[in-house]
Amino acid sequence: MSHDHEHDHTEPPSDLELRVKALETLLLEKGLVRSDTLDAIIETYEHRVGPRNGAHVVALAWSNDEFRRALLADATAVVSELGYVGRQGEHLQVVENTAEQHNLVVCTLCSCYPWTVLGLPPVWYKSAPYRARAVSEPRSVLAEFGTHLPESTQIRVWDSTAELRYLVLPERPRGTDDWSVEQLQKLVTRNAMIGVERARMPEDLLERDP
Amino acid sequence: MNGAHDLGGKHCLGPIAPESEFSEPVFHHEWERRVFALTLATGMLGQWNIDESRFARERQHPQRYLANSYYENWLAGLEKLLDEKQMLTSDSSSRWRAASPDCAAQLLAAGSPTSRAAQRAPAFACGQRVRVRKLSMAGHTRAPAYVQGTTGVIAQFHGWHCYPDQRARGLDSAEPLYSVCFTGQSLWGPNSEASEVLIDLWEPYLERAENND
């Protein structure tokens, strides 16, 4: 899929681009926003806050059972102690996957998502198909991510309708008993923490380390 | 509000078609960056809360809401709020002061917790059966249509939280908040792919149900 920049210099700006530019210009002129603040906000969410935070939390939970129990009991407190605090992470709950029960997170009404640990949500999470189908046909949704659960595994879907934000604690992959927190983090994908995929297996890292 | 945003269980919307998480950019176009930052920065002026912001995005013609991309809906909501709050009229600018980068960083780090002091004992206890009231009305609500009229079980009590139905009208109000667990069958029939769906619901959405409901 092609992204911006590639065609910006040859095509005139779209009506949408002009509409946004006009609004920004007006807000700057009226003193309602500052351009250095806009840049700082973009920098924060494009480069600083992201799923590495969540992967750290998950790897710690896999490594330390006391941490894991505390995290499941009061994720807001435990995650804030790691410094992952702020907007769209004010009230956190961690839900744990097991062989018997798989958790999946959605926001059917808008796009609620734990920004402090996962960053901004991907396009598909905010899209109408995911919001519509995650609650009613989660098995089919998981299959579209290549995730095929045994029929015996119960699927529990969390619809984030309030200001609680949910993070899935994936199952720890086999064969990682002697791995460090730093190594384990590499197995924790964003999609696994939403619940649409499992954590990566050690062999996945060898095959396609991004 | 029974609007196009209330998508749970809707059919014919097609495949998810996710981009790979290892290559998807945070923003796909420069204008999306601007809309995101403008929305957060103007929100810092304190003239609306998150429920007013959501309600502004929801109040669009359903065809428009569904045809728009995600940040187009943010833009539509922002334009509506600025217009309704009369923040772009000629002599209003001296009333507000734009946040500096430091101030913005503090506000983002602080977030906006919605928990509030308890005002009385909650009406429901964990394990109790409740039914979601039928709530069809024009205002903002966070009780999805797909769960209204369905019976579930109180799974967790989260204390008192700001109540969106009132807060979307700019009113300060809090109610007890619960996670309510519904069986997939009760929502979607005998062939449900979901074993359970847990939904966060405020006390005014709920009524007591009998154990055999």
Side-chain angles (χ1 to χ4, degrees), chain B residues 33-116:
Chain B
R33 277 188 195 89
R34 310 319 295 178
V35 169
F36 173 77
L38 289 171
T39 299
L40 264 62
T42 51
M44 290 171 186
L45 298 167
Q47 299 305 298
W48 56 75
N49 59 50
I50 193 166
D51 290 300
E52 290 176 274
S53 189
R54 288 187 183 120
F55 192 36
R57 288 172 204 155
E58 294 166 3
R59 279 181 288 139
Q60 298 185 70
H61 192 289
Q63 287 178 328
R64 169 75 60 154
Y65 180 92
L66 288 170
N68 277 347
S69 70
Y70 181 73
Y71 284 113
E72 284 178 287
N73 279 330
W74 274 43
L75 176 62
L78 177 57
E79 289 172 339
K80 188 171 295 182
L81 287 168
L82 291 167
D83 178 47
E84 289 176 352
K85 306 274 181 184
Q86 300 184 332
M87 293 172 72
L88 296 178
T89 50
S90 55
D91 58 351
S92 62
S93 56
S94 59
R95 289 163 57 192
W96 296 289
R97 179 133 174 246
S100 66
D102 284 349
C103 175
Q106 285 172 21
L107 289 168
L108 293 176
S112 303
T114 54
S115 49
R116 296 291 182 268

Side-chain angles (χ1 to χ4, degrees), chain A residues 71-173:
Chain A
L71 182 70
L72 293 171
D74 187 352
T76 308
V78 170
V79 170
S80 73
E81 278 175 29
L82 296 173
Y84 306 138
V85 296
R87 188 185 167 100
Q88 292 299 309
E90 294 92 341
H91 308 283
L92 269 184
Q93 184 165 339
V94 171
V95 292
E96 184 178 35
N97 283 352
T98 63
E100 294 78 35
Q101 182 166 281
H102 184 93
N103 294 279
L104 177 68
V105 179
V106 63
C107 172
T108 62
L109 296 174
C110 51
S111 54
C112 296
Y113 190 76
W115 289 11
T116 49
V117 280
L118 295 186
L120 298 182
V123 166
W124 62 260
Y125 182 88
K126 306 176 288 192
S127 72
Y130 183 73
R131 286 163 54 189
R133 297 173 53 206
V135 282
S136 58
E137 41 182 73
R139 222 171 259 283
S140 307
V141 167
L142 290 172
E144 284 177 36
F145 286 86
T147 306
H148 302 278
L149 299 177
E151 282 299 318
S152 58
T153 302
Q154 306 260 301
I155 302 180
R156 181 176 249 202
V157 186
W158 298 80
D159 188 355
S160 318
T161 44
E163 300 305 329
L164 276 97
R165 297 291 168 264
Y166 294 94
L167 183 78
V168 174
L169 174 56
E171 280 188 276
R172 181 173 179 162

